[in-house]
Amino acid sequence: MLKNLLSKEECAECRICCSFDSYDLWETPVITRSKASQILQDYKPEQEFVKQGGHFLLKMEKEPDADLYYCSLLDHSKGCIMGNEKPFDCRIWPFRIMSLDGTNVITLSPVCPIVKTRPLDKIMKVCSEISGEIFEEAKKHPEYVKPYLKGYPIIAVERDA
Ligand code: SF4
């Protein structure tokens, strides 16, 4: 979550980005090999992963009576157990890095209910402050880049960064 856009308290109360239904399981954070080691060593030794190409996803259990998966690193009373060491996808939320026709773009998640209450100029300012860093990180870790999804507003294009 971007601290310049969302407060810790707002995110702690909402947590929509830490729960998934079967449609948006693709949004679960990409876990690199080094992040997986860090999770096992420092946060949750029993965590299981699902391998996807060269990276991993967190194995999450479906709730028994709903099409709902809570992130396996979510503590329901305290929030994410990883604190400031969250996976990249979670650190840049509600921004997403996506590929549209071969060009990396930063999009804004239409799902986050809190960012919708922020003025557009504030969102764009935060985006311009960190877009270079996001694009750089995506170059190092192409696995972070998700295919563009219709309905996600584009707020930065890599060639503009
Ligand atoms: S890793 Fe942490 S911030 Fe990311 S989805 Fe899981 S609980 Fe939420």
Side-chain angles (χ1 to χ4, degrees):
M1 128 233 172
L2 291 169
K3 289 182 185 147
N4 291 347
L5 269 183
L6 313 172
S7 76
K8 210 172 165 185
E9 292 71 28
E10 287 170 316
C11 289
E13 201 163 314
C14 168
R15 295 185 192 152
I16 200 165
C17 58
C18 303
S19 59
F20 310 88
D21 61 23
S22 44
Y23 167 75
D24 60 21
L25 273 175
W26 64 272
E27 284 245 53
T28 64
V30 165
I31 308 293
T32 58
R33 196 168 286 279
S34 63
K35 189 57 76 178
S37 305
Q38 187 190 21
I39 291 168
L40 294 174
Q41 199 174 311
D42 300 337
Y43 294 97
K44 195 171 178 185
E46 71 278 20
Q47 177 66 48
E48 292 180 45
F49 299 93
V50 179
K51 194 160 174 10
Q52 271 223 336
H55 66 275
F56 302 91
L57 300 177
L58 298 162
K59 190 167 178 203
M60 301 178 190
E61 297 301 329
K62 184 180 169 297
E63 291 297 292
D65 47 5
D67 181 18
L68 180 65
Y69 299 76
Y70 286 108
C71 179
S72 48
L73 300 180
L74 178 67
D75 176 315
H76 287 270
S77 52
K78 296 186 195 140
C80 179
I81 64 170
M82 295 201 75
N84 292 334
E85 295 294 321
K86 290 177 182 59
F88 176 77
D89 287 311
C90 310
R91 277 189 279 126
I92 68 166
W93 175 267
F95 294 169
R96 310 269 79 188
I97 175 90
M98 295 181 164
S99 173
L100 177 63
D101 297 333
T103 300
N104 284 349
V105 296
I106 297 174
T107 63
L108 185 65
S109 170
V111 173
C112 177
I114 300 166
V115 80
K116 287 179 188 165
T117 67
R118 302 298 187 256
L120 185 59
D121 60 342
K122 167 99 179 158
I123 296 170
M124 297 308 285
K125 183 171 180 291
V126 172
C127 182
S128 71
E129 285 164 1
I130 62 162
S131 58
E133 204 183 309
I134 294 176
F135 288 131
E136 272 313 301
E137 204 56 22
K139 251 187 219 134
K140 282 189 246 157
H141 295 281
E143 66 270 29
Y144 289 154
V145 183
K146 298 173 183 359
Y148 178 73
L149 203 67
K150 210 171 153 197
Y152 277 62
I154 295 171
I155 54 174
V157 177
E158 183 158 27
R159 62 177 171 270
D160 297 338

